[in-house]
Amino acid sequence: MTFYHLAKNIVWLILKPLYRMEVVGKENIPKEGPVIICSNHISNLDPPMVGITATRDVHFLAKEELFEKPWLAKLMTHLNAFPIKRGMSDRQALRQALSLLKNGKTLGLFPEGTRSKTGKLGEGLSGIGFFALRSEATVIPCAVIGPYKIGKRLKIVYGPPIEMNKLREDKVSAKTVTEKIMSNIQSLLENNS
């Protein structure tokens, strides 16, 4: 068993009873091929929640600051995270993400780029649409529906795949694709609260 799978099992055993987790729509995640899971972002616990509830190993972009301490950088790497410089174009991170998708892996992204302070879905960054257009990945919208309060129910909903082939054929902009993804996440939030 890899460190990733060991950590996933341990975190599941800890967090599931604490937050009375309910997971909906896991069957929407394809068993193979490149996948991008796009989720809203309300807490620092969102990446582990998506990581432990998804049916596949998920690779996450994480802010570069988390990799400054060598021991934490090593831990993050073992948890399938890799650094991205926020607020600028980070070509190395973009190449790594596209390479993972080219190799049929699953990428977990939080389109808002940062946690929502209000709990409401914010505006998505165009970079998300870029990944969706530049890869052949299936895009799965995801909604984490809180609150993160011990003993309260937390719901993670995976929606049906977004129809990307038509968007790619129509050569729409990255911004348009991002708006489509955000609209799908918003629908999951509204229909599952």
Side-chain angles (χ1 to χ4, degrees), residues 66-79:
L66 292 173
F67 293 80
E68 288 173 356
K69 293 189 167 84
W71 68 269
L72 189 54
K74 192 169 188 173
L75 176 65
M76 296 295 287
T77 302
H78 283 303
L79 294 174

Side-chain angles (χ1 to χ4, degrees), residues 35-118:
V35 172
I36 301 172
I37 296 174
C38 293
S39 177
N40 62 319
H41 200 4
I42 57 173
S43 165
N44 285 329
L45 288 174
D46 295 336
M49 285 298 182
V50 172
I52 65 174
T53 59
T55 53
R56 297 179 51 171
D57 296 358
V58 183
H59 298 261
F60 289 100
L61 288 159
K63 61 184 178 181
E64 187 182 40
E65 296 81 14
L66 292 173
F67 293 80
E68 288 173 356
K69 293 189 167 84
W71 68 269
L72 189 54
K74 192 169 188 173
L75 176 65
M76 296 295 287
T77 302
H78 283 303
L79 294 174
N80 288 353
F82 57 99
I84 184 165
K85 296 178 180 119
R86 296 197 301 176
M88 63 181 74
S89 179
D90 185 343
R91 292 185 188 282
Q92 174 60 31
L94 298 177
R95 275 195 297 270
Q96 189 168 350
L98 289 170
S99 175
L100 285 165
L101 292 170
K102 188 176 180 184
N103 289 310
K105 306 290 187 192
T106 301
L107 188 62
L109 298 174
F110 297 95
E112 296 158 282
T114 189
R115 291 184 315 278
S116 167
K117 293 184 175 39
T118 64

Side-chain angles (χ1 to χ4, degrees), residues 7-23:
K8 183 173 179 171
N9 290 336
I10 291 169
V11 173
W12 171 263
L13 289 171
I14 293 168
L15 295 183
K16 183 172 185 346
L18 275 181
Y19 294 111
R20 299 175 53 220
M21 276 194 296
E22 178 185 356
V23 184

